[in-house]
Amino acid sequence: MRRFSWKRVLALVVAGAFPMVLGGGAPPGSAEGRTELIVNGGFDAGTSPWWWTSNVSAQVVDGRLCAEIPAGTTNSWDAIVGRSDITLRSGESYEFSFTASADQPVTIRANVQLADPPYTAEISQPVSLGGSQTYRYFFTSRADTQRASVQFQVGGSSVGWTFCVDDVSLKDGAEVPGYEPDTGPRVRVNQVGYLPDGPKRATLVTDAVRPLEWVLRDASGRAVADGRSTPRGVDEASGERVHTIDFSSVRRPGRGYTLTADGETSYPFAIASEVYESLRTDALQFFYIQRSGIPIDGALVGEEYARPAGHVGVPPNRGDIDVPCQEGVCDYRLDVRGGWYDAGDHGKYVVNGGIAAAQLLSTWERALHAGTGQTGPLDDGRLRVPERGNGVPDILDEARWEVEFLLRMQVPDGKPLAGMAHHKIHDREWTGMPMQPEDDPQPRELHPPSTAATLNLAAVAAQCARLFRPYDRAFAARCLAAAEKAWTAARADPDVYASETDSNGGGAYADTHLEDESYWAAAELYLTTGDPAYLDFLLTSPMHTADVFGPGGFSWQSVAALGRLDLATVPGRLPLAERRKARVSVVEAADRYLATQRSQAYGLPLPSNAEFYNWGSNSGILNNLVVIATAYDITGKQAYRDAVLEGIDYILGRNALNISYVTGYGTKSGQNQHSRIFA
């Protein structure tokens, strides 16, 4: 999936907006000479030129516009109060403010957006209403238009309610305030918790240069441990001066522990052997709620995530069952239903879906071959997916949903570039946010085939063939046939690249360095078939002797590590000497990551250089942890297990933002992700 195969990228500020709730004082950016773009924002002249949808009734009451909002609407945009024909200039900064109230607690959306399709929002701000309060937001426009609209999207409530608004203002020339995140207490911990027999470290942000006293307290406030912190100097990535606190000697299980140092007390956390039990299945659950072409069952995942099937041709949806190519690309249409939506949009990308499906397949395969016999948590009936109880491990059922889509993206026999895979399918134009899949009105298009996508298909389908053989021999044979056909096609056309500029309506995902994709595909085909031709390719590949484990983690654009990890862990095919080399390379990479982790006061296996904190950097951290965990499978050394646990601490709150990057886990977790489905 896009930018993170496990989808853990958080956009903490929506649409570049900086929110403030005012309690008095002069507003920032209040210099004279700014233009007010809202006519009659105080409703002194009645309701004109404001409008509202036909299911809303509104009038001026005590100098405010008050609207009766109907019960039983589903989406925020099902009921709207708005004002159109507003001019925005690209690159100009604006201040958007209003005073609003509701006669019961409710959340609306305050938008400045295009008035016409595709209704792109310059700011789309969730606003929690109750008593009368003034709200102020700032944004920089990306659009040049005379057809912008201010909209209060007030639908989505099961009961009727009254919305009142006044003093609506949109001014240009705003001085946008700097973003200062609310990072909470300066003692940063894993907000979910620690294993009793695992490492337990925290990071303290402080200007102190000498060790400081710390105290660990249980839920009753009783001190159970104390000690002195270790100064670590300035953390390069965050610019903070930090200390490390190590309380690993505490092993007593409990919940509601807190850590106090330098006058600050951490968010609460647990010490428990089952602390990650639900996280494992909830993380895997995300793939199901990203599925395309199937209703999402609220009985499995909660009614708040339930939705109709997307892109099955039910208006206004165009559907993925009979999709043409972009103009001039092909003369056929394909059924490319299914698969997972991208993390942020409604596109489906073979190179992103490939790495995501491979990691699900490898999770099962690693459980089979790690020597622990602990496949139970991944067995049939353990995940909340519609296929549970069918005799197939649930994680394979989930992976199959994506693999079936990848197979459908293959160019048919008798057509130019037969056997290759189309790079992606997505909307002709970008849609706005939020936008549920079933509401997407855009035409869908197949984009040109690429060698990168074709090699992804070859690798994933080959792995599918060996893992599904015990459960569905016909599907396994179909996967292998597609993999071999894709390999042959990619060898015949090794330099068909996706366009770097093909990014309207979806990401481009271009890649012109494909030695890693070829190495990965050959590795999977060899492990599945034992055909010496694939081994010969591997041994002569420049990736064979290369270090395939970079400091920033493997990704959709750098996949040789996927092949190396499987060569090191999947038994039965690779000559012993080559298997030993692969295993040594994994362990050496893990040792480098451990060295990096020890140098980081926040305990993550990622260098502190700014270049490594890019879009999706948490996926790089997690993928480095996969390498370290594989080294533990190979060696059984406790240091690798402990390193993985400490890396998870970073993801769950022990970081410079003091936020758990997994929504719903920890006291303060990520919200408002860059996602059309969940925005």
Side-chain angles (χ1 to χ4, degrees):
M1 310 305 288
R2 183 175 70 173
R3 293 164 293 264
F4 180 21
S5 60
W6 291 77
K7 325 278 202 327
R8 297 291 177 265
V9 177
L10 305 182
L12 299 179
V13 182
V14 176
F18 296 84
M20 292 184 177
V21 178
L22 298 187
S30 57
E32 295 182 2
R34 297 167 58 197
T35 303
E36 174 61 70
L37 304 178
I38 300 295
V39 175
N40 193 28
F43 305 102
D44 297 326
T47 62
S48 180
W50 291 84
W51 54 264
W52 42 88
T53 50
S54 60
N55 57 347
V56 171
S57 61
Q59 60 182 324
V60 177
V61 179
D62 297 330
R64 303 176 299 165
L65 181 71
C66 290
E68 298 303 318
I69 312 304
T73 56
T74 301
N75 306 297
S76 61
W77 58 86
D78 290 342
I80 303 173
V81 174
R83 163 78 173 86
S84 298
D85 296 327
I86 296 169
T87 298
L88 297 179
R89 299 190 304 274
S90 177
E92 180 66 77
S93 295
Y94 295 87
E95 176 187 345
F96 175 38
S97 63
F98 55 90
T99 300
S101 65
D103 64 350
Q104 60 179 297
V106 67
T107 297
I108 68 167
R109 282 208 168 262
N111 285 13
V112 180
Q113 63 175 74
L114 296 182
D116 304 310
Y119 306 112
T120 305
E122 297 302 312
I123 173 176
S124 180
Q125 183 67 43
V127 183
S128 297
L129 296 181
S132 182
Q133 198 166 22
T134 299
Y135 303 84
R136 178 166 282 115
Y137 306 101
F138 298 84
F139 67 94
T140 300
S141 178
R142 296 160 294 182
D144 268 314
T145 180
Q146 296 180 338
R147 288 283 297 157
S149 173
V150 165
Q151 294 187 10
F152 298 100
Q153 297 185 350
V154 290
S157 177
S158 60
V159 298
W161 61 284
T162 302
F163 167 66
C164 291
V165 65
D166 197 6
D167 299 326
V168 185
S169 173
L170 181 65
K171 293 181 179 179
D172 62 8
E175 181 181 336
V176 179
Y179 173 55
E180 295 185 11
D182 176 12
T183 54
R186 290 183 287 105
V187 183
R188 312 287 164 74
V189 298
N190 179 329
Q191 297 173 26
V192 176
Y194 302 84
L195 296 181
D197 61 344
K200 302 174 192 68
R201 297 186 180 92
T203 301
L204 169 66
V205 179
T206 177
D207 291 331
V209 296
R210 298 183 182 277
L212 296 171
E213 302 290 335
W214 59 263
V215 177
L216 179 70
R217 290 185 169 87
D218 62 18
S220 70
R222 181 175 65 91
V224 296
D226 56 48
R228 293 172 68 82
S229 65
T230 301
R232 299 294 297 271
V234 175
D235 172 61
E236 181 182 350
S238 65
E240 299 169 332
R241 185 176 294 278
V242 293
H243 292 203
T244 296
I245 295 172
D246 192 332
F247 56 105
S248 299
S249 61
V250 179
R251 301 169 66 93
R252 182 178 178 180
R255 298 190 177 273
Y257 280 105
T258 57
L259 190 62
T260 300
D262 199 23
E264 297 273 320
T265 299
S266 72
Y267 291 130
F269 57 89
I271 297 176
S273 58
E274 71 279 5
V275 73
Y276 295 134
E277 286 301 309
S278 62
L279 176 60
R280 172 170 46 204
T281 53
D282 284 351
L284 290 169
Q285 191 68 54
F286 185 82
F287 290 94
Y288 170 55
I289 60 177
Q290 286 293 117
R291 285 192 190 185
S292 174
I294 186 175
I296 303 304
D297 187 351
L300 293 175
V301 295
E303 290 303 324
E304 66 271 30
Y305 295 111
R307 58 175 170 81
H311 296 99
V312 291
V314 177
N317 235 214
R318 303 300 180 90
D320 287 351
I321 298 173
D322 183 33
V323 182
C325 286
Q326 286 180 308
E327 186 176 355
V329 169
C330 74
D331 62 356
Y332 51 85
R333 305 170 75 95
L334 291 181
D335 174 357
V336 290
R337 59 195 151 88
W340 300 313
Y341 292 117
D342 174 74
D345 60 64
H346 300 139
K348 299 187 293 189
Y349 306 89
V350 171
V351 295
N352 310 83
I355 186 174
Q359 289 190 282
L360 285 195
L361 293 170
S362 292
T363 298
W364 172 255
E365 192 158 32
R366 287 267 307 289
L368 286 176
H369 300 312
T372 63
Q374 295 181 355
T375 62
L378 303 173
D379 283 339
D380 186 29
R382 301 302 293 269
L383 299 182
R384 299 185 297 279
V385 295
E387 300 85 2
R388 64 192 310 183
N390 65 352
V392 179
D394 291 333
I395 195 168
L396 292 187
D397 283 324
E398 189 58 68
R400 180 171 180 163
W401 192 261
E402 177 68 14
V403 173
E404 293 264 19
F405 159 71
L406 297 177
L407 298 179
R408 295 185 183 108
M409 291 290 279
Q410 198 160 28
V411 176
D413 291 342
K415 299 296 182 179
L417 300 177
M420 297 195 78
H422 287 274
H423 198 72
K424 56 183 182 171
I425 169 191
H426 57 63
D427 295 323
R428 183 176 297 167
E429 303 285 346
W430 284 107
T431 58
M433 288 198 296
M435 175 70 73
Q436 286 293 321
E438 68 273 13
D439 298 321
D440 176 10
Q442 282 287 330
R444 307 277 277 177
E445 295 177 331
L446 290 164
H447 292 246
S450 73
T451 305
T454 304
L455 290 167
N456 267 262
L457 172 59
V460 174
Q463 191 175 15
C464 159
R466 66 176 179 268
L467 292 181
F468 273 91
R469 198 170 288 146
Y471 306 103
D472 188 336
R473 296 186 69 85
F475 180 58
R478 179 181 161 209
C479 284
L480 183 56
E484 292 179 326
K485 181 183 293 186
W487 173 261
T488 300
R491 298 299 295 153
D493 289 286
D495 53 4
V496 179
Y497 303 126
S499 169
E500 295 183 1
T501 61
D502 184 13
S503 57
N504 190 37
Y509 298 107
D511 187 358
T512 58
H513 302 285
L514 305 183
E515 295 89 350
D516 53 320
E517 281 84 359
S518 296
Y519 177 81
W520 175 33
E524 302 299 347
L525 281 160
Y526 178 68
L527 290 170
T528 298
T529 68
D531 187 331
Y534 298 122
L535 178 60
D536 291 343
F537 182 91
L538 286 172
L539 298 181
T540 57
S541 167
M543 295 289 102
H544 177 61
T545 55
D547 178 11
V548 300
F549 300 105
F554 58 88
S555 68
W556 67 268
Q557 205 171 27
S558 179
V559 293
L562 296 172
R564 185 71 57 82
L565 289 170
D566 282 356
L567 291 172
T569 56
V570 177
R573 296 287 190 188
L574 198 64
L576 184 60
E578 295 301 327
R579 178 176 167 85
R580 186 179 297 115
K581 290 178 184 177
R583 292 163 78 88
V584 167
S585 74
V586 172
V587 173
E588 288 177 344
D591 288 341
R592 293 195 300 272
Y593 295 147
L594 260 64
T596 298
Q597 184 179 54
R598 295 187 192 106
S599 72
Q600 302 296 312
Y602 280 109
L604 67 159
L606 192 75
S608 56
N609 314 53
E611 66 185 277
F612 293 106
Y613 288 85
N614 50 23
W615 185 296
S617 57
N618 280 352
S619 69
I621 294 167
L622 291 167
N623 287 339
N624 284 350
L625 294 179
V626 167
V627 177
I628 298 171
T630 306
Y632 174 72
D633 289 345
I634 292 170
T635 68
K637 290 184 178 179
Q638 186 80 7
Y640 299 122
R641 172 185 179 271
D642 289 351
V644 172
L645 292 172
E646 189 166 6
I648 294 296
D649 293 345
Y650 175 88
I651 298 296
L652 296 177
R654 186 189 166 197
N655 53 59
L657 292 178
N658 202 13
I659 186 172
S660 168
Y661 290 114
V662 183
T663 299
Y665 279 79
T667 301
K668 182 182 179 183
S669 64
Q671 307 292 323
N672 300 331
Q673 287 86 344
H674 180 96
S675 163
R676 278 156 178 78
I677 297 177
F678 303 113

